[in-house]
Amino acid sequence: MNKLCYFVIVIVAGFIFSDESIAGRIIMVHDTKVTMDTEWIDVQLTIKNEGDEDALLVYPTLKLGNQVVDLKKAPYIAFGGAQQWQYRFFKKNLGMRHSGRYPLYLLIHYHDSQMYPFSSPDIIFIDFGHMQSDCAISGEFSASQNDGKTDITFSLTNQCSYPVSGKCKVFLPKELQARLSEKPFLLAQNSSQSIIFTIENQGALKGSRYRVYGVAEYSIANQHFTFAFPGMISITESILTNNNEYKIMGCIILIGILFFITLYMELGKAGWKSNQ
């Protein structure tokens, strides 16, 4: 095989694996301010890219009460740059019947230079009306890997002197998905309960860590309470493993094709010389 073919193989293989060997870093941080009056809840959101690579097609998703809204897409946020969004929720349409503390869910969507999608979740608490209670719920987070899936356990502890019931849910990036995202709980006074969610990979990158949230919501005496506790999931297996296998197979096939082309050319040259 001549030097030209070797050079072509090296160049093509470099293109095949370039998306893994050259990788920047995108770090999206936000500053969220919430104000309200008797009718409206105003959200002002600033998202900044503190990484070393531009983030493409960036947009936030907000969820408050029973309303979910995708805000306008920004074509890109350069590293070191920022983008602002504003949105106004009408209180009467949110379905928040009781005063208390509610979660404002924020999911930031963005893409890297190769248009691979990422997302980052966060929760902002909103105090809606007057709150007064001496009851509290605490929690702990743990995660364990099992056959490529992750079981996350939220251990809830009722510190009240009376039973508390409500619902516990997980808030995840789009790259992860729960088989069942919401489960009820019932805690006797001064007792604990463990709630397990099974998380599956929907495009999370191998070797990456993703923030997840457990959220407990409950009502006491016509007051609404929210308790959230964050955790991290490390991805040990990824659907991209199959993609790597396809790339390796494609590279082998390409090398084989180039080999037979080179062999054909060399045999042709030998036949031409023998006819001279």
Side-chain angles (χ1 to χ4, degrees):
M1 191 177 292
N2 58 36
K3 294 181 179 179
L4 177 61
C5 287
Y6 281 118
F7 177 75
V8 172
I9 290 173
V10 171
I11 294 298
V12 173
F15 277 110
I16 290 176
F17 294 102
S18 62
D19 59 332
E20 297 176 9
S21 60
I22 302 175
R25 191 179 184 191
I26 300 174
I27 304 174
M28 308 300 283
V29 298
H30 71 92
D31 179 27
T32 304
K33 297 179 181 178
V34 180
T35 57
M36 67 181 71
D37 56 26
T38 56
E39 294 186 354
W40 302 95
I41 297 178
D42 293 307
V43 179
Q44 181 175 317
L45 173 65
T46 302
I47 297 177
K48 184 177 181 181
N49 180 4
E50 293 188 349
D52 56 12
E53 177 186 334
D54 294 352
L56 307 178
L57 199 61
V58 184
Y59 69 97
T61 296
L62 299 177
K63 180 180 185 302
L64 180 60
N66 56 20
Q67 288 195 6
V68 181
V69 57
D70 292 333
L71 301 188
K72 184 179 179 180
K73 294 179 176 64
Y76 72 95
I77 299 180
F79 61 90
Q83 178 73 34
Q84 288 189 343
W85 286 266
Q86 291 184 342
Y87 189 77
R88 168 170 278 192
F89 290 98
F90 187 44
K91 283 183 176 180
K92 291 184 178 180
N93 293 338
L94 295 175
M96 301 189 302
R97 296 176 298 171
H98 303 309
S99 61
R101 173 162 290 182
Y102 290 85
L104 171 62
Y105 295 98
L106 167 64
L107 188 62
I108 302 173
H109 309 261
Y110 59 97
H111 299 72
D112 65 9
S113 59
Q114 299 180 45
M115 290 305 293
Y116 193 90
F118 296 89
S119 60
S120 176
D122 206 352
I123 295 177
I124 301 95
F125 294 112
I126 293 180
D127 291 333
F128 184 74
H130 181 67
M131 291 179 59
Q132 184 176 359
S133 175
D134 58 355
C135 181
I137 288 181
S138 61
E140 295 181 355
F141 170 94
S142 63
S144 59
Q145 296 287 331
N146 181 21
D147 295 331
K149 302 179 179 62
T150 302
D151 287 339
I152 58 175
T153 302
F154 298 112
S155 300
L156 302 178
T157 299
N158 179 15
Q159 300 173 344
C160 308
S161 58
Y162 44 85
V164 174
S165 63
K167 58 185 178 181
C168 184
K169 65 176 67 176
V170 286
F171 181 42
L172 306 170
K174 289 185 65 176
E175 295 89 332
L176 303 173
Q177 184 177 24
R179 289 183 177 178
L180 189 63
S181 61
E182 183 176 302
K183 296 183 179 181
F185 68 85
L186 174 60
L187 295 169
Q189 62 183 38
N190 300 316
S191 68
S192 298
Q193 179 181 350
S194 294
I195 301 176
I196 300 175
F197 294 90
T198 299
I199 307 300
E200 297 179 340
N201 188 345
Q202 297 295 315
L205 295 178
K206 182 179 178 181
S208 298
R209 302 180 72 212
Y210 291 84
R211 178 187 296 164
V212 302
Y213 284 92
V215 184
E217 294 189 71
Y218 53 98
S219 296
I220 300 173
N222 292 327
Q223 292 188 85
H224 187 87
F225 296 87
T226 302
F227 174 75
F229 37 109
M232 300 294 293
I233 290 181
S234 297
I235 303 301
T236 57
E237 294 186 10
S238 173
I239 59 174
L240 296 183
T241 302
N242 293 332
N243 292 339
N244 291 338
E245 293 176 355
Y246 292 141
K247 289 179 179 181
I248 294 172
M249 186 181 299
C251 191
I252 293 174
I253 293 173
L254 175 63
I255 292 173
I257 292 173
L258 290 175
F259 173 77
F260 284 109
I261 291 175
T262 303
L263 182 62
Y264 177 80
M265 293 174 62
E266 294 296 331
L267 291 175
K269 289 180 180 179
W272 181 79
K273 289 180 179 180
S274 65
N275 293 327
Q276 297 299 311

